Amino acid sequence: MNTYDGRRPPQAGLDSAIWRRSSHSNNNGACVELAVVEGVVAVRDSKDTEQPALLFSPLMWRAFLGAARESRPHRH
């Protein structure tokens, strides 16, 4: 059971999450991991997994990805 320690928001359900590393991650340490738990998309820094994950609803996750795609430089 997760408890709130006054410094971090509760991350209930993430203790048993199955995390996947991004296919776009590389070996320079700039990696993120993703898990889907009870309809919530959780994203964390793979090199500092003790920090709280960012939590998104599926709708907000799709909006985030869409915004990231739009702001990415286009390749010609």
Short mmCIF file of all heavy atoms in Angstrom, two decimals:
data_model
loop_
_atom_site.label_atom_id
_atom_site.label_comp_id
_atom_site.label_asym_id
_atom_site.label_seq_id
_atom_site.Cartn_x
_atom_site.Cartn_y
_atom_site.Cartn_z
N MET A 1 0.84 -1.18 0.00
CA MET A 1 0.00 0.00 0.00
C MET A 1 0.88 1.24 0.00
O MET A 1 1.80 1.35 0.79
CB MET A 1 -0.89 -0.03 1.22
CG MET A 1 -1.80 1.15 1.33
SD MET A 1 -3.00 0.87 2.63
CE MET A 1 -2.77 2.33 3.56
N ASN A 2 0.60 2.18 -0.89
CA ASN A 2 1.33 3.44 -0.94
C ASN A 2 0.76 4.39 0.10
O ASN A 2 -0.44 4.45 0.31
CB ASN A 2 1.22 4.08 -2.32
CG ASN A 2 1.99 3.31 -3.35
OD1 ASN A 2 2.72 2.39 -3.04
ND2 ASN A 2 1.82 3.69 -4.60
N THR A 3 1.63 5.16 0.72
CA THR A 3 1.19 6.19 1.64
C THR A 3 1.81 7.50 1.23
O THR A 3 2.90 7.54 0.68
CB THR A 3 1.58 5.86 3.09
OG1 THR A 3 3.00 5.72 3.16
CG2 THR A 3 0.91 4.59 3.57
N TYR A 4 1.11 8.58 1.50
CA TYR A 4 1.61 9.90 1.14
C TYR A 4 2.61 10.33 2.21
O TYR A 4 2.30 10.36 3.39
CB TYR A 4 0.44 10.88 1.04
CG TYR A 4 0.87 12.26 0.63
CD1 TYR A 4 1.39 12.49 -0.64
CD2 TYR A 4 0.75 13.31 1.50
CE1 TYR A 4 1.78 13.75 -1.01
CE2 TYR A 4 1.15 14.59 1.13
CZ TYR A 4 1.66 14.79 -0.12
OH TYR A 4 2.05 16.05 -0.49
N ASP A 5 3.83 10.65 1.82
CA ASP A 5 4.88 11.01 2.78
C ASP A 5 5.05 12.52 2.91
O ASP A 5 6.00 12.97 3.54
CB ASP A 5 6.20 10.34 2.42
CG ASP A 5 6.79 10.84 1.11
OD1 ASP A 5 6.22 11.75 0.47
OD2 ASP A 5 7.83 10.32 0.71
N GLY A 6 4.18 13.31 2.32
CA GLY A 6 4.26 14.76 2.43
C GLY A 6 5.14 15.40 1.37
O GLY A 6 5.10 16.59 1.17
N ARG A 7 5.94 14.61 0.66
CA ARG A 7 6.83 15.14 -0.37
C ARG A 7 6.39 14.72 -1.76
O ARG A 7 6.64 15.41 -2.71
CB ARG A 7 8.26 14.65 -0.14
CG ARG A 7 8.89 15.18 1.12
CD ARG A 7 10.25 14.61 1.32
NE ARG A 7 10.08 13.17 1.57
CZ ARG A 7 11.05 12.29 1.50
NH1 ARG A 7 12.26 12.64 1.18
NH2 ARG A 7 10.82 11.01 1.74
N ARG A 8 5.79 13.56 -1.87
CA ARG A 8 5.42 13.03 -3.18
C ARG A 8 3.93 12.72 -3.22
O ARG A 8 3.37 12.26 -2.23
CB ARG A 8 6.17 11.72 -3.45
CG ARG A 8 7.64 11.90 -3.51
CD ARG A 8 8.27 10.57 -3.78
NE ARG A 8 9.71 10.71 -3.81
CZ ARG A 8 10.54 9.70 -3.84
NH1 ARG A 8 10.09 8.47 -3.85
NH2 ARG A 8 11.83 9.89 -3.87
N PRO A 9 3.29 12.92 -4.37
CA PRO A 9 1.89 12.53 -4.47
C PRO A 9 1.77 11.02 -4.46
O PRO A 9 2.70 10.31 -4.83
CB PRO A 9 1.44 13.11 -5.82
CG PRO A 9 2.70 13.25 -6.58
CD PRO A 9 3.80 13.50 -5.59
N PRO A 10 0.67 10.48 -4.00
CA PRO A 10 0.50 9.02 -4.00
C PRO A 10 0.58 8.47 -5.42
O PRO A 10 0.10 9.07 -6.36
CB PRO A 10 -0.90 8.81 -3.41
CG PRO A 10 -1.48 10.14 -3.18
CD PRO A 10 -0.48 11.19 -3.52
N GLN A 11 1.21 7.34 -5.57
CA GLN A 11 1.38 6.70 -6.87
C GLN A 11 0.75 5.30 -6.81
O GLN A 11 1.36 4.32 -7.21
CB GLN A 11 2.87 6.61 -7.22
CG GLN A 11 3.56 7.95 -7.33
CD GLN A 11 3.32 8.63 -8.65
OE1 GLN A 11 3.59 8.07 -9.70
NE2 GLN A 11 2.80 9.83 -8.62
N ALA A 12 -0.44 5.24 -6.27
CA ALA A 12 -1.12 3.96 -6.05
C ALA A 12 -1.17 3.13 -7.32
O ALA A 12 -1.44 3.64 -8.40
CB ALA A 12 -2.54 4.22 -5.55
N GLY A 13 -0.88 1.87 -7.18
CA GLY A 13 -0.97 0.94 -8.29
C GLY A 13 0.29 0.84 -9.12
O GLY A 13 0.41 -0.05 -9.94
N LEU A 14 1.25 1.73 -8.94
CA LEU A 14 2.44 1.71 -9.78
C LEU A 14 3.52 0.76 -9.26
O LEU A 14 4.45 0.44 -9.99
CB LEU A 14 3.01 3.12 -9.94
CG LEU A 14 2.10 4.11 -10.66
CD1 LEU A 14 2.79 5.45 -10.80
CD2 LEU A 14 1.68 3.59 -12.01
N ASP A 15 3.39 0.32 -8.01
CA ASP A 15 4.39 -0.61 -7.46
C ASP A 15 4.46 -1.90 -8.26
O ASP A 15 5.52 -2.50 -8.39
CB ASP A 15 4.09 -0.94 -5.99
CG ASP A 15 4.28 0.27 -5.10
OD1 ASP A 15 5.04 1.18 -5.47
OD2 ASP A 15 3.65 0.30 -4.03
N SER A 16 3.33 -2.34 -8.79
CA SER A 16 3.31 -3.59 -9.54
C SER A 16 3.19 -3.37 -11.06
O SER A 16 2.95 -4.32 -11.80
CB SER A 16 2.15 -4.46 -9.06
OG SER A 16 0.92 -3.78 -9.27
N ALA A 17 3.38 -2.14 -11.49
CA ALA A 17 3.25 -1.82 -12.92
C ALA A 17 4.34 -2.50 -13.73
O ALA A 17 5.46 -2.70 -13.25
CB ALA A 17 3.32 -0.30 -13.13
N ILE A 18 4.01 -2.83 -14.96
CA ILE A 18 4.99 -3.35 -15.91
C ILE A 18 5.40 -2.18 -16.80
O ILE A 18 4.60 -1.66 -17.58
CB ILE A 18 4.38 -4.51 -16.74
CG1 ILE A 18 4.00 -5.65 -15.82
CG2 ILE A 18 5.37 -4.96 -17.81
CD1 ILE A 18 3.21 -6.75 -16.50
N TRP A 19 6.65 -1.76 -16.66
CA TRP A 19 7.17 -0.59 -17.36
C TRP A 19 7.82 -1.00 -18.66
O TRP A 19 8.52 -2.00 -18.73
CB TRP A 19 8.18 0.14 -16.48
CG TRP A 19 7.54 0.74 -15.28
CD1 TRP A 19 7.38 0.15 -14.06
CD2 TRP A 19 6.93 2.02 -15.18
NE1 TRP A 19 6.72 1.00 -13.20
CE2 TRP A 19 6.43 2.15 -13.87
CE3 TRP A 19 6.75 3.08 -16.08
CZ2 TRP A 19 5.78 3.31 -13.43
CZ3 TRP A 19 6.11 4.21 -15.64
CH2 TRP A 19 5.62 4.32 -14.34
N ARG A 20 7.59 -0.22 -19.72
CA ARG A 20 8.22 -0.43 -21.04
C ARG A 20 9.04 0.80 -21.38
O ARG A 20 8.58 1.92 -21.20
CB ARG A 20 7.17 -0.63 -22.12
CG ARG A 20 6.30 -1.85 -21.91
CD ARG A 20 5.27 -1.99 -23.01
NE ARG A 20 4.35 -0.84 -22.99
CZ ARG A 20 3.84 -0.27 -24.05
NH1 ARG A 20 4.12 -0.71 -25.25
NH2 ARG A 20 3.02 0.75 -23.95
N ARG A 21 10.24 0.58 -21.88
CA ARG A 21 11.10 1.69 -22.29
C ARG A 21 10.70 2.15 -23.69
O ARG A 21 10.37 1.34 -24.55
CB ARG A 21 12.56 1.26 -22.30
CG ARG A 21 13.48 2.44 -22.62
CD ARG A 21 14.88 2.15 -22.31
NE ARG A 21 15.01 2.11 -20.85
CZ ARG A 21 16.14 1.92 -20.22
NH1 ARG A 21 17.25 1.75 -20.90
NH2 ARG A 21 16.18 1.91 -18.93
N SER A 22 10.74 3.42 -23.92
CA SER A 22 10.39 3.99 -25.22
C SER A 22 11.28 3.42 -26.31
O SER A 22 12.49 3.28 -26.14
CB SER A 22 10.55 5.51 -25.18
OG SER A 22 10.47 6.04 -26.48
N SER A 23 10.69 3.13 -27.46
CA SER A 23 11.46 2.64 -28.60
C SER A 23 12.33 3.75 -29.18
O SER A 23 13.24 3.49 -29.95
CB SER A 23 10.53 2.09 -29.69
OG SER A 23 9.67 3.12 -30.15
N HIS A 24 12.06 5.00 -28.81
CA HIS A 24 12.86 6.14 -29.28
C HIS A 24 14.00 6.48 -28.33
O HIS A 24 14.75 7.40 -28.59
CB HIS A 24 11.97 7.36 -29.49
CG HIS A 24 10.97 7.17 -30.57
ND1 HIS A 24 11.29 7.23 -31.91
CD2 HIS A 24 9.64 6.88 -30.52
CE1 HIS A 24 10.21 6.99 -32.63
NE2 HIS A 24 9.21 6.78 -31.82
N SER A 25 14.11 5.75 -27.22
CA SER A 25 15.20 6.00 -26.28
C SER A 25 16.51 5.53 -26.87
O SER A 25 16.56 4.64 -27.70
CB SER A 25 14.93 5.27 -24.97
OG SER A 25 13.79 5.78 -24.33
N ASN A 26 17.57 6.16 -26.42
CA ASN A 26 18.89 5.76 -26.89
C ASN A 26 19.80 5.51 -25.70
O ASN A 26 19.36 5.52 -24.57
CB ASN A 26 19.46 6.81 -27.85
CG ASN A 26 19.44 8.19 -27.24
OD1 ASN A 26 19.66 8.34 -26.05
ND2 ASN A 26 19.16 9.20 -28.04
N ASN A 27 21.06 5.30 -25.93
CA ASN A 27 21.99 4.94 -24.86
C ASN A 27 22.62 6.13 -24.15
O ASN A 27 23.54 5.96 -23.38
CB ASN A 27 23.09 4.03 -25.42
CG ASN A 27 22.55 2.69 -25.84
OD1 ASN A 27 21.62 2.18 -25.22
ND2 ASN A 27 23.11 2.11 -26.88
N ASN A 28 22.15 7.34 -24.39
CA ASN A 28 22.75 8.51 -23.74
C ASN A 28 22.09 8.84 -22.40
O ASN A 28 22.38 9.86 -21.81
CB ASN A 28 22.74 9.72 -24.67
CG ASN A 28 21.35 10.28 -24.88
OD1 ASN A 28 20.37 9.77 -24.36
ND2 ASN A 28 21.25 11.34 -25.67
N GLY A 29 21.20 7.98 -21.94
CA GLY A 29 20.55 8.19 -20.65
C GLY A 29 19.27 9.00 -20.73
O GLY A 29 18.62 9.22 -19.72
N ALA A 30 18.87 9.44 -21.91
CA ALA A 30 17.64 10.21 -22.08
C ALA A 30 16.50 9.25 -22.40
O ALA A 30 16.03 9.18 -23.52
CB ALA A 30 17.80 11.25 -23.18
N CYS A 31 16.08 8.50 -21.39
CA CYS A 31 15.07 7.47 -21.62
C CYS A 31 13.85 7.70 -20.75
O CYS A 31 13.95 8.16 -19.62
CB CYS A 31 15.64 6.09 -21.29
SG CYS A 31 17.09 5.64 -22.23
N VAL A 32 12.71 7.36 -21.28
CA VAL A 32 11.49 7.36 -20.50
C VAL A 32 10.87 5.97 -20.56
O VAL A 32 11.11 5.21 -21.50
CB VAL A 32 10.46 8.41 -20.99
CG1 VAL A 32 11.00 9.82 -20.81
CG2 VAL A 32 10.06 8.18 -22.42
N GLU A 33 10.10 5.65 -19.53
CA GLU A 33 9.38 4.39 -19.47
C GLU A 33 7.91 4.70 -19.31
O GLU A 33 7.53 5.72 -18.74
CB GLU A 33 9.87 3.55 -18.29
CG GLU A 33 11.31 3.12 -18.43
CD GLU A 33 11.81 2.36 -17.23
OE1 GLU A 33 11.33 2.59 -16.10
OE2 GLU A 33 12.70 1.52 -17.42
N LEU A 34 7.08 3.78 -19.79
CA LEU A 34 5.63 3.97 -19.78
C LEU A 34 4.97 2.73 -19.21
O LEU A 34 5.43 1.60 -19.47
CB LEU A 34 5.17 4.19 -21.22
CG LEU A 34 3.69 4.32 -21.43
CD1 LEU A 34 3.41 5.68 -22.04
CD2 LEU A 34 3.21 3.23 -22.34
N ALA A 35 3.91 2.93 -18.45
CA ALA A 35 3.09 1.82 -17.96
C ALA A 35 1.64 2.27 -18.01
O ALA A 35 1.33 3.45 -17.83
CB ALA A 35 3.47 1.45 -16.53
N VAL A 36 0.74 1.33 -18.25
CA VAL A 36 -0.69 1.61 -18.21
C VAL A 36 -1.26 0.81 -17.06
O VAL A 36 -1.15 -0.42 -17.02
CB VAL A 36 -1.38 1.23 -19.54
CG1 VAL A 36 -2.87 1.49 -19.45
CG2 VAL A 36 -0.77 2.02 -20.70
N VAL A 37 -1.84 1.53 -16.10
CA VAL A 37 -2.39 0.90 -14.90
C VAL A 37 -3.78 1.46 -14.65
O VAL A 37 -3.93 2.68 -14.49
CB VAL A 37 -1.50 1.17 -13.67
CG1 VAL A 37 -2.08 0.55 -12.42
CG2 VAL A 37 -0.08 0.67 -13.92
N GLU A 38 -4.77 0.59 -14.64
CA GLU A 38 -6.15 0.98 -14.34
C GLU A 38 -6.61 2.19 -15.14
O GLU A 38 -7.18 3.14 -14.61
CB GLU A 38 -6.31 1.24 -12.84
CG GLU A 38 -6.05 0.01 -12.00
CD GLU A 38 -6.18 0.26 -10.51
OE1 GLU A 38 -6.83 1.26 -10.14
OE2 GLU A 38 -5.65 -0.54 -9.75
N GLY A 39 -6.31 2.19 -16.45
CA GLY A 39 -6.77 3.26 -17.32
C GLY A 39 -5.98 4.55 -17.22
O GLY A 39 -6.40 5.57 -17.74
N VAL A 40 -4.84 4.52 -16.55
CA VAL A 40 -3.99 5.70 -16.42
C VAL A 40 -2.66 5.40 -17.10
O VAL A 40 -2.09 4.33 -16.93
CB VAL A 40 -3.76 6.04 -14.93
CG1 VAL A 40 -2.75 7.17 -14.77
CG2 VAL A 40 -5.06 6.41 -14.26
N VAL A 41 -2.17 6.35 -17.89
CA VAL A 41 -0.87 6.22 -18.54
C VAL A 41 0.15 6.90 -17.62
O VAL A 41 0.03 8.08 -17.31
CB VAL A 41 -0.85 6.88 -19.93
CG1 VAL A 41 0.52 6.75 -20.57
CG2 VAL A 41 -1.92 6.25 -20.83
N ALA A 42 1.14 6.13 -17.16
CA ALA A 42 2.18 6.65 -16.27
C ALA A 42 3.49 6.72 -17.05
O ALA A 42 3.83 5.80 -17.79
CB ALA A 42 2.33 5.74 -15.06
N VAL A 43 4.22 7.80 -16.88
CA VAL A 43 5.49 8.02 -17.58
C VAL A 43 6.52 8.40 -16.52
O VAL A 43 6.25 9.24 -15.66
CB VAL A 43 5.37 9.15 -18.62
CG1 VAL A 43 6.68 9.35 -19.35
CG2 VAL A 43 4.26 8.85 -19.61
N ARG A 44 7.70 7.76 -16.60
CA ARG A 44 8.75 8.07 -15.63
C ARG A 44 10.12 8.11 -16.31
O ARG A 44 10.31 7.59 -17.41
CB ARG A 44 8.77 7.08 -14.48
CG ARG A 44 9.25 5.71 -14.87
CD ARG A 44 9.25 4.77 -13.70
NE ARG A 44 9.78 3.46 -14.08
CZ ARG A 44 9.83 2.42 -13.28
NH1 ARG A 44 9.36 2.51 -12.05
NH2 ARG A 44 10.34 1.28 -13.71
N ASP A 45 11.07 8.69 -15.62
CA ASP A 45 12.46 8.76 -16.05
C ASP A 45 13.11 7.41 -15.72
O ASP A 45 13.14 7.02 -14.56
CB ASP A 45 13.15 9.89 -15.30
CG ASP A 45 14.60 10.11 -15.68
OD1 ASP A 45 15.21 9.22 -16.31
OD2 ASP A 45 15.13 11.18 -15.33
N SER A 46 13.64 6.72 -16.71
CA SER A 46 14.17 5.38 -16.48
C SER A 46 15.45 5.38 -15.64
O SER A 46 15.79 4.37 -15.05
CB SER A 46 14.44 4.67 -17.81
OG SER A 46 15.44 5.33 -18.52
N LYS A 47 16.14 6.50 -15.57
CA LYS A 47 17.37 6.51 -14.77
C LYS A 47 17.12 6.99 -13.34
O LYS A 47 18.02 6.95 -12.52
CB LYS A 47 18.45 7.34 -15.45
CG LYS A 47 18.16 8.80 -15.61
CD LYS A 47 19.26 9.49 -16.43
CE LYS A 47 18.96 10.93 -16.67
NZ LYS A 47 17.68 11.22 -17.29
N ASP A 48 15.91 7.44 -13.03
CA ASP A 48 15.57 7.88 -11.67
C ASP A 48 14.16 7.41 -11.35
O ASP A 48 13.24 8.20 -11.20
CB ASP A 48 15.69 9.40 -11.58
CG ASP A 48 15.69 9.89 -10.15
OD1 ASP A 48 15.60 9.06 -9.22
OD2 ASP A 48 15.76 11.12 -9.95
N THR A 49 14.00 6.10 -11.23
CA THR A 49 12.67 5.50 -11.08
C THR A 49 12.04 5.73 -9.71
O THR A 49 10.87 5.42 -9.52
CB THR A 49 12.73 4.00 -11.37
OG1 THR A 49 13.63 3.38 -10.44
CG2 THR A 49 13.19 3.73 -12.80
N GLU A 50 12.78 6.28 -8.77
CA GLU A 50 12.21 6.56 -7.45
C GLU A 50 11.40 7.85 -7.43
O GLU A 50 10.62 8.08 -6.51
CB GLU A 50 13.33 6.63 -6.39
CG GLU A 50 14.02 5.30 -6.18
CD GLU A 50 13.08 4.21 -5.73
OE1 GLU A 50 12.26 4.46 -4.81
OE2 GLU A 50 13.13 3.11 -6.29
N GLN A 51 11.57 8.69 -8.44
CA GLN A 51 10.79 9.92 -8.53
C GLN A 51 9.37 9.59 -8.96
O GLN A 51 9.13 8.59 -9.63
CB GLN A 51 11.44 10.89 -9.52
CG GLN A 51 12.77 11.43 -9.06
CD GLN A 51 12.65 12.21 -7.77
OE1 GLN A 51 11.76 13.05 -7.60
NE2 GLN A 51 13.54 11.93 -6.83
N PRO A 52 8.41 10.43 -8.62
CA PRO A 52 7.03 10.17 -9.02
C PRO A 52 6.87 10.16 -10.54
O PRO A 52 7.57 10.89 -11.25
CB PRO A 52 6.23 11.33 -8.43
CG PRO A 52 7.12 12.01 -7.47
CD PRO A 52 8.52 11.65 -7.82
N ALA A 53 5.97 9.34 -11.01
CA ALA A 53 5.66 9.29 -12.44
C ALA A 53 4.67 10.41 -12.78
O ALA A 53 3.91 10.87 -11.92
CB ALA A 53 5.05 7.94 -12.79
N LEU A 54 4.70 10.84 -14.03
CA LEU A 54 3.66 11.73 -14.54
C LEU A 54 2.48 10.86 -14.92
O LEU A 54 2.66 9.82 -15.56
CB LEU A 54 4.17 12.50 -15.76
CG LEU A 54 5.35 13.41 -15.54
CD1 LEU A 54 5.82 13.99 -16.88
CD2 LEU A 54 5.00 14.52 -14.57
N LEU A 55 1.28 11.26 -14.55
CA LEU A 55 0.09 10.48 -14.83
C LEU A 55 -0.82 11.22 -15.79
O LEU A 55 -1.07 12.41 -15.62
CB LEU A 55 -0.66 10.19 -13.52
CG LEU A 55 0.16 9.50 -12.43
CD1 LEU A 55 -0.68 9.34 -11.16
CD2 LEU A 55 0.69 8.17 -12.90
N PHE A 56 -1.28 10.50 -16.81
CA PHE A 56 -2.14 11.06 -17.85
C PHE A 56 -3.38 10.19 -18.01
O PHE A 56 -3.28 8.97 -17.95
CB PHE A 56 -1.43 11.07 -19.21
CG PHE A 56 -0.21 11.93 -19.30
CD1 PHE A 56 1.03 11.45 -18.92
CD2 PHE A 56 -0.30 13.22 -19.79
CE1 PHE A 56 2.17 12.23 -19.02
CE2 PHE A 56 0.84 14.01 -19.90
CZ PHE A 56 2.07 13.52 -19.51
N SER A 57 -4.51 10.81 -18.30
CA SER A 57 -5.65 10.05 -18.78
C SER A 57 -5.32 9.65 -20.21
O SER A 57 -4.48 10.29 -20.85
CB SER A 57 -6.93 10.90 -18.74
OG SER A 57 -6.86 11.90 -19.75
N PRO A 58 -5.96 8.61 -20.75
CA PRO A 58 -5.69 8.24 -22.15
C PRO A 58 -5.92 9.41 -23.11
O PRO A 58 -5.14 9.62 -24.03
CB PRO A 58 -6.64 7.09 -22.41
CG PRO A 58 -6.82 6.46 -21.07
CD PRO A 58 -6.82 7.62 -20.10
N LEU A 59 -6.96 10.20 -22.88
CA LEU A 59 -7.25 11.35 -23.74
C LEU A 59 -6.13 12.39 -23.66
O LEU A 59 -5.66 12.89 -24.69
CB LEU A 59 -8.58 11.99 -23.35
CG LEU A 59 -9.01 13.21 -24.15
CD1 LEU A 59 -9.23 12.84 -25.61
CD2 LEU A 59 -10.26 13.82 -23.56
N MET A 60 -5.67 12.70 -22.46
CA MET A 60 -4.60 13.68 -22.31
C MET A 60 -3.27 13.14 -22.85
O MET A 60 -2.46 13.91 -23.37
CB MET A 60 -4.46 14.10 -20.85
CG MET A 60 -5.64 14.89 -20.34
SD MET A 60 -6.07 16.33 -21.37
CE MET A 60 -4.61 17.33 -21.23
N TRP A 61 -3.03 11.84 -22.75
CA TRP A 61 -1.81 11.25 -23.30
C TRP A 61 -1.79 11.41 -24.82
O TRP A 61 -0.78 11.79 -25.40
CB TRP A 61 -1.69 9.79 -22.90
CG TRP A 61 -0.48 9.11 -23.44
CD1 TRP A 61 -0.44 8.08 -24.31
CD2 TRP A 61 0.89 9.44 -23.16
NE1 TRP A 61 0.86 7.73 -24.59
CE2 TRP A 61 1.70 8.56 -23.90
CE3 TRP A 61 1.51 10.40 -22.37
CZ2 TRP A 61 3.09 8.61 -23.87
CZ3 TRP A 61 2.90 10.45 -22.33
CH2 TRP A 61 3.67 9.55 -23.08
N ARG A 62 -2.94 11.14 -25.48
CA ARG A 62 -3.02 11.31 -26.93
C ARG A 62 -2.80 12.77 -27.31
O ARG A 62 -2.11 13.08 -28.29
CB ARG A 62 -4.35 10.79 -27.47
CG ARG A 62 -4.42 9.27 -27.51
CD ARG A 62 -5.65 8.78 -28.25
NE ARG A 62 -6.91 9.14 -27.62
CZ ARG A 62 -7.49 8.45 -26.64
NH1 ARG A 62 -6.95 7.34 -26.19
NH2 ARG A 62 -8.63 8.84 -26.13
N ALA A 63 -3.35 13.70 -26.53
CA ALA A 63 -3.15 15.13 -26.81
C ALA A 63 -1.68 15.51 -26.64
O ALA A 63 -1.13 16.26 -27.45
CB ALA A 63 -4.03 15.97 -25.88
N PHE A 64 -1.04 14.98 -25.61
CA PHE A 64 0.38 15.25 -25.38
C PHE A 64 1.23 14.75 -26.55
O PHE A 64 2.09 15.46 -27.07
CB PHE A 64 0.83 14.59 -24.07
CG PHE A 64 2.31 14.67 -23.85
CD1 PHE A 64 2.89 15.83 -23.36
CD2 PHE A 64 3.13 13.58 -24.13
CE1 PHE A 64 4.26 15.90 -23.15
CE2 PHE A 64 4.49 13.65 -23.92
CZ PHE A 64 5.06 14.81 -23.43
N LEU A 65 0.97 13.51 -26.99
CA LEU A 65 1.72 12.95 -28.11
C LEU A 65 1.49 13.75 -29.39
O LEU A 65 2.42 14.00 -30.15
CB LEU A 65 1.35 11.49 -28.33
CG LEU A 65 1.82 10.51 -27.27
CD1 LEU A 65 1.34 9.10 -27.61
CD2 LEU A 65 3.32 10.55 -27.10
N GLY A 66 0.25 14.16 -29.62
CA GLY A 66 -0.06 14.97 -30.80
C GLY A 66 0.68 16.29 -30.77
O GLY A 66 1.25 16.72 -31.78
N ALA A 67 0.72 16.94 -29.62
CA ALA A 67 1.44 18.21 -29.50
C ALA A 67 2.94 18.01 -29.69
O ALA A 67 3.60 18.82 -30.33
CB ALA A 67 1.16 18.84 -28.13
N ALA A 68 3.47 16.92 -29.17
CA ALA A 68 4.91 16.63 -29.35
C ALA A 68 5.24 16.40 -30.82
O ALA A 68 6.26 16.87 -31.31
CB ALA A 68 5.30 15.42 -28.51
N ARG A 69 4.37 15.69 -31.52
CA ARG A 69 4.59 15.45 -32.95
C ARG A 69 4.57 16.75 -33.74
O ARG A 69 5.35 16.95 -34.65
CB ARG A 69 3.54 14.49 -33.50
CG ARG A 69 3.78 13.07 -33.14
CD ARG A 69 2.78 12.15 -33.82
NE ARG A 69 2.75 10.87 -33.15
CZ ARG A 69 1.77 10.43 -32.37
NH1 ARG A 69 0.69 11.15 -32.20
NH2 ARG A 69 1.86 9.26 -31.80
N GLU A 70 3.64 17.64 -33.41
CA GLU A 70 3.51 18.89 -34.13
C GLU A 70 4.70 19.83 -33.90
O GLU A 70 5.08 20.58 -34.79
CB GLU A 70 2.23 19.61 -33.72
CG GLU A 70 0.99 18.93 -34.26
CD GLU A 70 -0.28 19.60 -33.75
OE1 GLU A 70 -0.20 20.71 -33.20
OE2 GLU A 70 -1.34 19.00 -33.92
N SER A 71 5.30 19.77 -32.73
CA SER A 71 6.40 20.69 -32.43
C SER A 71 7.76 20.11 -32.81
O SER A 71 8.76 20.82 -32.78
CB SER A 71 6.42 21.04 -30.94
OG SER A 71 6.70 19.89 -30.16
N ARG A 72 7.80 18.85 -33.22
CA ARG A 72 9.05 18.21 -33.63
C ARG A 72 9.47 18.74 -34.99
O ARG A 72 8.63 18.91 -35.88
CB ARG A 72 8.83 16.70 -33.68
CG ARG A 72 10.03 15.92 -34.11
CD ARG A 72 9.82 14.44 -33.98
NE ARG A 72 8.56 14.01 -34.57
CZ ARG A 72 8.14 12.76 -34.55
NH1 ARG A 72 8.84 11.83 -33.96
NH2 ARG A 72 7.02 12.43 -35.12
N PRO A 73 10.76 19.01 -35.19
CA PRO A 73 11.21 19.47 -36.50
C PRO A 73 10.89 18.43 -37.57
O PRO A 73 11.06 17.23 -37.35
CB PRO A 73 12.72 19.63 -36.35
CG PRO A 73 12.96 19.69 -34.88
CD PRO A 73 11.83 18.93 -34.24
N HIS A 74 10.43 18.88 -38.70
CA HIS A 74 10.09 17.98 -39.80
C HIS A 74 11.34 17.64 -40.59
O HIS A 74 12.17 18.50 -40.85
CB HIS A 74 9.05 18.60 -40.71
CG HIS A 74 7.74 18.84 -40.03
ND1 HIS A 74 6.88 17.82 -39.76
CD2 HIS A 74 7.19 19.96 -39.53
CE1 HIS A 74 5.82 18.31 -39.13
NE2 HIS A 74 5.99 19.61 -38.99
N ARG A 75 11.44 16.40 -40.98
CA ARG A 75 12.56 15.98 -41.81
C ARG A 75 12.17 16.04 -43.27
O ARG A 75 11.09 15.66 -43.65
CB ARG A 75 12.97 14.54 -41.45
CG ARG A 75 13.48 14.43 -40.05
CD ARG A 75 13.87 13.02 -39.73
NE ARG A 75 14.21 12.94 -38.32
CZ ARG A 75 14.30 11.82 -37.67
NH1 ARG A 75 14.09 10.68 -38.25
NH2 ARG A 75 14.61 11.83 -36.40
N HIS A 76 13.07 16.51 -44.10
CA HIS A 76 12.79 16.61 -45.54
C HIS A 76 13.57 15.59 -46.30
O HIS A 76 14.62 15.20 -46.03
CB HIS A 76 13.12 18.01 -46.06
CG HIS A 76 12.28 19.05 -45.40
ND1 HIS A 76 10.98 19.28 -45.77
CD2 HIS A 76 12.54 19.90 -44.39
CE1 HIS A 76 10.49 20.25 -45.01
NE2 HIS A 76 11.42 20.65 -44.17
#
